[in-house]
Amino acid sequence: MANVTFNQDPVTLVGSEVKVGDKAPNFSVLSNDLQEVTLDDYKGKVKLISVVPSVDTGVCSKQTQRFNDEAEQIDVQVITISMDLPFAQKRWREVNGVKNLELLSDHRDADFGEKYGVLIKEMRLLSRSIFVVDSNDEVTYVEYVSENTNHPDYDKALEAAKAAK
């Protein structure tokens, strides 16, 4: 598993590490209107999955806004997943004018977190990471950000998403 810290303190990631070339694990999360959403709902599309601890924090907010701003130019399905409650995500989305990506919650079962190896055991938050999944559901790019308070490599993630088309 990736060595990850949160505010420089080591954390334990629960689940299996996902690697380039793997078949993307299916998962179940909630939309902002409490409907179940799975990877299968995006079948046939290239997906850039941006994972954040909480959209209500500075780096997570900027990460989500950045991918929202880029979503139209890269023409792939952008998904942000966090442990925030769907109601909080909906409020944040409206306040920040986010319209170009799906904002989904893993709070109910931590199903995504465990299947992608990003559930932080000590905090029950998701560890900052990026996954690009092609239209055949093969993982083509992975970044487990080593320090959760740092930004991911936006340029590499965006290039990987474009290349997966």
Side-chain angles (χ1 to χ4, degrees), residues 5-47:
T5 58
F6 198 103
N7 286 325
Q8 306 304 315
D9 292 324
V11 294
T12 307
L13 298 184
V14 176
S16 300
E17 184 175 0
V18 173
K19 297 181 176 136
V20 170
D22 287 352
K23 172 125 177 95
N26 202 3
F27 57 83
S28 175
V29 292
L30 294 176
S31 68
N32 295 163
D33 60 359
L34 303 178
Q35 298 302 306
E36 182 176 351
V37 177
T38 69
L39 181 67
D40 288 341
D41 291 324
Y42 304 102
K43 199 82 61 214
K45 296 180 179 179
V46 173
K47 284 90 46 193

Side-chain angles (χ1 to χ4, degrees), residues 95-116:
V95 166
N96 291 282
V98 169
K99 295 180 173 37
N100 299 324
L101 58 77
E102 297 286 326
L103 188 53
L104 303 172
S105 174
D106 198 27
H107 90 96
R108 182 180 62 185
D109 300 318
D111 187 58
F112 178 87
E114 288 187 23
K115 288 180 176 172
Y116 283 71

Side-chain angles (χ1 to χ4, degrees), residues 21-113:
D22 287 352
K23 172 125 177 95
N26 202 3
F27 57 83
S28 175
V29 292
L30 294 176
S31 68
N32 295 163
D33 60 359
L34 303 178
Q35 298 302 306
E36 182 176 351
V37 177
T38 69
L39 181 67
D40 288 341
D41 291 324
Y42 304 102
K43 199 82 61 214
K45 296 180 179 179
V46 173
K47 284 90 46 193
L48 186 155
I49 304 172
S50 171
V51 183
V52 299
S54 174
V55 292
D56 275 326
T57 62
V59 175
C60 299
S61 179
K62 287 177 183 165
Q63 179 175 331
T64 304
Q65 289 172 324
R66 169 78 186 266
F67 285 125
N68 178 68
D69 294 344
E70 300 279 356
E72 286 187 87
Q73 287 84 12
I74 62 172
D75 191 34
V76 302
Q77 179 65 59
V78 179
I79 303 165
T80 293
I81 301 177
S82 74
M83 287 295 243
D84 295 301
L85 293 173
F87 315 109
Q89 289 180 336
K90 184 177 181 182
R91 176 199 48 77
W92 182 90
R93 180 186 196 114
E94 290 168 356
V95 166
N96 291 282
V98 169
K99 295 180 173 37
N100 299 324
L101 58 77
E102 297 286 326
L103 188 53
L104 303 172
S105 174
D106 198 27
H107 90 96
R108 182 180 62 185
D109 300 318
D111 187 58
F112 178 87

Side-chain angles (χ1 to χ4, degrees), residues 96-139:
N96 291 282
V98 169
K99 295 180 173 37
N100 299 324
L101 58 77
E102 297 286 326
L103 188 53
L104 303 172
S105 174
D106 198 27
H107 90 96
R108 182 180 62 185
D109 300 318
D111 187 58
F112 178 87
E114 288 187 23
K115 288 180 176 172
Y116 283 71
V118 295
L119 178 62
I120 300 173
K121 179 180 178 181
E122 295 83 355
M123 299 177 203
R124 199 170 194 280
L125 293 173
L126 300 181
S127 185
R128 187 175 318 282
S129 49
I130 306 289
F131 302 91
V132 174
V133 178
D134 72 13
S135 59
N136 297 314
D137 290 340
E138 181 179 318
V139 177

